[in-house]
Amino acid sequence: MYKYDHIDQTLVDQRVIQFQNQVERRLNGTLAEEEFRPLRLQNGLYHQRHAYMLRIAIPYGLLSSKQLRTLAFIADKYDRGYGHFTTRQNIQFNWVELEKTPDILAELAKVEMHAIQTSGNCIRNITSDAFAGVAADEYVDPRPICELLRQWSTLHPEFAHLPRKFKFAINGAKEDRTVLLCHDVGIELKKNPAINNGELTADIYAGGGMGRTPILGSLIKQGLPWQVLPSYLTALLRVYNRFGRRDNLYKARIKILVKALGPEEFARQVEGEWANFHNEAKQSKDNFTQAEWERVAKHFTKPNYKDLTELSDEQLQSHADSKLNASEKIGFTRWLERNVKPHQVPGYASVILSLKPHGTAAPGDATSAQMNAIADLADQYSFGELRVTHEQNLVLADVEQMELLNLWRAAKNYNLVLPNIGLLTDIIACPGGDFCSLANAKSLPIAKAIQERFDDLDYLHDLGDITLNISGCINSCGHHHVGNIGVLGVDKDGEEWYQITLGGDQGNDASIGKVIGPSFYANEIPDVMTSLINTYVEQRTADEPFIDTYRRLGVAPFKEAAYRNNGKHSKESSKGAIA
């Protein structure tokens, strides 16, 4: 993985000193809160419902075991013994004290981490495929481009005060695992022998996003040579910076501009802006050079893989059978099916560690004990590295197939092997009203209630792939718009209600879910889920996933079932909120 040079390290070290001074001035009263607010936000520090929350950047979701141990240390010393992995592949600590935050940033700087640009109207942490560099379906490793663009966008003076926050996602695999089309800019990397001499190119999608106005991004540029990404993206951001609305917070994202102009006109304006300086830029330091590529790409070479033979699932199961009792065989088999993914290199696999235990922890939360244990597992089984997924789980990317059983046993001791990846209880959820000051309703109790209702793994495996996403407000940090089933917390006269959407999906066939009707009380949600799932089971054809059944039948049978016994929409119908 990328290692800081003296420029990177100097930048984060100086930022710690600057923020220490700013915090001291805030604490002694010489810096007012309205003056301090933009400064703390530039360092990822929010003031939430109960305390300050610090959001730490994990560039494109890649972590070393040393970094994870530091996060565990921070959780113990400065927070309440746990951290929350987010849908932006970051981590948040929800209980930090203001006066301690410079010390936390200093600890992060020691392991080449920071919280810069995890907040504010700037280019945020760039996200990518959690299986980058190892995915069996990958045609380009996106990490060098991710890192080059991270360096290009960090503290970029021209884009420090955009109309609103700006999010990039970068994919280089056949399957999109980045929710590419729901980002302000999605970059799909390719190699085409007929373009750019067979070198790397990029297709650019712009104007995607969730929130109050969910829109899928539009293709505005194809076959862009990788070398000119900085100048083209500079042109794109200049158009947004110039014409993006600043008079209305809710209409300031680039998706509103692209929708208003139309993708073709937006693309034309970007081309015009690009042409104004492209010839000059070709000769300038703005574009990437081969030397820059080589400087960064050398950090993403393959680890020292052994020369191993690829094993089939049957061979893996046969290898494990004699070492497992009957109960363990079921658990291990299910884990192989749901949590173990194909790898580029024969004899290796990638493993997803589930952070979605049924009802015992919030989705995406990891205790300091779990973080330390995962760091040890990464050292022992996966070359000391791990990944964060936007689905709020962790990945050990390079595990020898013959070590899968040993890894499963070790991870089981820390409650990390629940075989529910991609199933109904692999819920994506934001912190919601329990922590977030923007939330209209709580997310975590809803997730807990659903996990407790559907706690039968046999049944979950029979249901198959279903995504369920929960957001506590329209800002959509839980990505509810792209859940097959989405739950959105809304406020009605000071009470928490929940709106249901169906038909959302991520991946190559991404779609935005549709609202099925009036919202429900919190205590109705588990029954609503039961009604939706029962309808799916009754209506599905053999091996038909939930999303395909929904697309075949439409919303009508699901809606009728959801409201048949729920959604009375009166205070009298409520049995109280879920605790």
Side-chain angles (χ1 to χ4, degrees), residues 68-115:
L68 187 58
R69 288 192 182 91
T70 294
L71 295 176
F73 172 78
I74 290 170
D76 276 336
K77 184 171 182 178
Y78 299 104
D79 203 87
R80 296 190 176 181
Y82 70 95
H84 175 75
F85 290 99
T86 77
T87 52
R88 294 289 305 159
Q89 297 178 306
N90 294 316
I91 187 170
Q92 296 178 175
F93 292 105
N94 288 309
W95 298 97
V96 300
E97 298 174 9
L98 175 59
E99 54 269 39
K100 301 293 186 184
T101 50
D103 295 337
I104 299 175
L105 295 184
E107 295 291 348
L108 293 170
K110 293 176 186 175
V111 294
E112 304 180 359
M113 297 186 77
H114 59 77

Side-chain angles (χ1 to χ4, degrees), residues 2-18 66-67 105-114 116 147 150-151 154-155 295:
Y2 179 76
K3 301 295 182 186
Y4 277 10
D5 61 17
H6 72 282
I7 297 175
D8 300 299
Q9 194 63 54
T10 300
L11 187 151
V12 297
D13 288 343
Q14 289 180 346
R15 178 55 76 97
V16 172
I17 296 170
Q18 291 164 2
K66 182 179 181 181
Q67 290 172 328
L105 295 184
E107 295 291 348
L108 293 170
K110 293 176 186 175
V111 294
E112 304 180 359
M113 297 186 77
H114 59 77
I116 299 169
E147 177 57 31
R150 183 196 72 80
Q151 296 182 20
T154 296
L155 300 184
R295 179 183 67 82

Side-chain angles (χ1 to χ4, degrees), residues 141-153:
D141 182 350
R143 292 174 298 173
I145 290 295
C146 290
E147 177 57 31
L148 284 168
L149 289 178
R150 183 196 72 80
Q151 296 182 20
W152 167 77
S153 62

Side-chain angles (χ1 to χ4, degrees), residues 181 184 204-208 215-222 232 236 239 254-272:
L181 296 182
D184 298 292
I204 308 295
Y205 295 81
I215 300 174
L216 297 179
S218 299
L219 179 64
I220 63 163
K221 185 73 174 177
Q222 281 185 289
Y232 185 82
L236 185 152
V239 172
I254 191 175
K255 60 189 176 185
I256 302 299
L257 177 63
V258 173
K259 183 179 180 182
L261 294 176
E264 296 79 10
E265 172 61 17
F266 179 79
R268 190 190 67 79
Q269 294 203 18
V270 173
E271 290 289 337

Side-chain angles (χ1 to χ4, degrees), residues 176 179-182 216-217 481-482 503-513 547 551:
D176 171 32
V179 205
L180 191 86
L181 296 182
C182 286
L216 297 179
H481 290 299
V482 293
D505 201 15
Q506 58 176 318
N508 297 354
D509 198 16
S511 57
I512 301 295
I547 186 65
R551 285 171 175 166

Side-chain angles (χ1 to χ4, degrees), residues 184-210:
D184 298 292
V185 164
I187 300 175
E188 187 163 23
L189 300 176
K190 295 181 175 178
K191 281 189 175 180
N192 185 337
I195 303 175
N196 199 28
N197 297 318
E199 287 194 59
L200 187 64
T201 61
D203 290 351
I204 308 295
Y205 295 81
M210 293 191 240

Side-chain angles (χ1 to χ4, degrees), residues 44 92 179 191 213 229 303 305 354 406 427 446 473 511 513 529 571:
Q92 296 178 175
V179 205
K191 281 189 175 180
T213 310
L229 271 168
Y305 292 122
S354 174
N406 292 331
I427 297 172
I446 301 300
C473 74
S511 57
M529 291 298 144
K571 286 188 177 182

